[in-house]
Amino acid sequence: MKIKSFLAIAACGLLFAACQTNDGQSVATDHSNAEKADSMLYYFAQMNGAQYDRDAQRDTTLASDEAKKAYIMGVQTGLNAAKEDNDAYNRGLNLGMQMAMTFQQFKKDYGVELNKKVFVKALSEALSNDSIINSSDMQREFYRIMSEFNAQKEERDIKAANENLLKASETLKMKKIADNLYGGVITPTEGEQIKDGDNVDASINVENIEGKAINAPLPSKLKIGSRSLPEPINTALKTMKSGETGKFATSAMSIFGPRAAQMGLQPSDVVILTIKATVTPPEEKK
């Protein structure tokens, strides 16, 4: 059987665990329902297998046979870890798995290794306290510290993005427009200068530094100066005249913000924009 088939079958179990009644008996009690349940799980598994393939297209480390086998083993371990008739244990297991992944991501994003013992000790204290914990105070302090980590990360990301952009601009021979934007017009015209308040029809092609297309949901009808328009695009357009085509380099962080990760990009990755823009005349008042 192929790896992909194993992947689909293993993923089925994730939904199976949710199809149990409180007494551990399967919802599908008769033969007909059992067949329906098997079919449902099969399709759910295929959906998860397809999602894994999509993820592997963005992260090639997931594409190898070894990675797929490891994924299946992880799924199977999770399926076997849950205990019947022990809701408290399963709730703890679920939180533990979530936190394990959070710890890994936190180290990757912020460069700080979180202490598992601190978390477990604090959780134990919270459960053994005689007095009621003020959850609002806990949340306020949590988000206060988290905001400090986010500020540090943003500062590092901006620095890394600007450094990458500078290197890319030297390679591509692009002129600096702003710290987070390089480039200029590649097909000039004698059209009117694009300015704040203009309505513009724009064709925007987005690529990474290697020239691979990035599927970015950018609008084609733009209003210059609008707060909904990414700042690098707004700035780039104002260097152009109506009918011109420009080529620009910016960072994934500057143009996509937190959505960069959803596109398989790091905040500091260089993004190349090829923009053709035409000013549209204002609508006549009736």
Side-chain angles (χ1 to χ4, degrees), residues 12-22 25 27 40-41 44 79:
C12 288
L14 294 175
L15 186 60
F16 180 74
C19 294
Q20 302 288 319
T21 60
N22 290 335
Q25 297 297 316
V27 175
M40 177 182 65
L41 289 172
F44 185 73
L79 291 171

Side-chain angles (χ1 to χ4, degrees), residues 46 58 72 107 128 142 152 185 202:
Q46 290 291 323
R58 294 194 299 268
I72 295 170
K107 183 177 180 180
S128 61
F142 170 82
Q152 293 174 8
V185 173

Side-chain angles (χ1 to χ4, degrees), residues 24-250:
Q25 297 297 316
S26 173
V27 175
T29 55
D30 57 36
H31 182 70
S32 176
N33 280 344
E35 289 183 346
K36 290 179 183 178
D38 287 347
S39 296
M40 177 182 65
L41 289 172
Y42 174 82
Y43 295 128
F44 185 73
Q46 290 291 323
M47 290 162 55
N48 278 270
Q51 181 60 54
Y52 186 95
D53 282 343
R54 287 192 292 272
D55 292 341
Q57 291 176 15
R58 294 194 299 268
D59 183 355
T60 55
T61 62
L62 300 175
S64 68
D65 287 347
E66 288 185 359
K68 292 177 181 179
K69 289 178 181 178
Y71 174 73
I72 295 170
M73 290 176 62
V75 171
Q76 192 64 58
T77 299
L79 291 171
N80 294 337
K83 294 182 179 181
E84 292 186 8
D85 301 323
N86 198 332
D87 184 58
Y89 176 86
N90 290 335
R91 286 170 65 109
L93 175 66
N94 185 47
L95 177 60
M97 291 299 297
Q98 291 179 27
M99 292 307 299
M101 299 301 294
T102 298
F103 282 19
Q104 291 181 19
Q105 191 64 43
F106 197 92
K107 183 177 180 180
K108 180 179 179 181
D109 289 344
Y110 301 98
V112 177
E113 187 166 357
L114 298 175
N115 192 321
K116 298 175 184 178
K117 292 181 179 179
V118 170
F119 178 75
V120 174
K121 181 180 179 181
L123 183 60
S124 299
E125 289 178 357
L127 294 176
S128 61
N129 279 342
D130 294 332
S131 59
I132 298 176
I133 298 173
N134 189 324
S135 59
S136 296
D137 289 345
M138 299 298 112
Q139 288 182 14
R140 183 172 58 253
E141 288 303 302
F142 170 82
Y143 286 115
R144 178 185 64 79
I145 298 173
M146 195 67 230
S147 67
E148 294 177 2
F149 278 116
N150 284 329
Q152 293 174 8
K153 181 178 185 299
E154 183 176 4
E155 185 177 340
R156 289 195 303 270
D157 287 343
I158 290 174
K159 181 180 179 181
N162 290 343
E163 290 175 352
N164 287 348
L165 270 175
L166 179 58
K167 292 178 182 177
S169 70
E170 293 171 350
T171 301
L172 299 171
K173 295 180 171 53
M174 289 182 170
K175 293 182 179 180
K176 182 177 181 178
I177 300 172
D179 285 342
N180 65 345
L181 184 67
Y182 291 77
V185 173
I186 57 175
T187 307
T189 68
E190 296 300 324
E192 62 178 296
Q193 185 69 42
I194 297 175
K195 60 186 182 303
D196 282 334
D198 284 343
N199 293 310
V200 172
D201 283 337
S203 170
I204 306 176
N205 293 324
V206 187
E207 299 174 333
N208 64 15
I209 192 65
E210 288 82 24
K212 182 179 179 181
I214 298 172
N215 185 18
L218 296 173
S220 59
K221 294 187 180 296
L222 313 172
K223 187 175 182 65
I224 307 303
S226 170
R227 284 187 292 181
S228 63
L229 186 62
E231 183 265 333
I233 294 179
N234 189 73
T235 302
L237 284 166
K238 289 195 290 184
T239 68
M240 300 168 60
K241 294 179 181 179
S242 180
E244 290 185 330
T245 300
K247 189 171 185 178
F248 305 90
T250 186

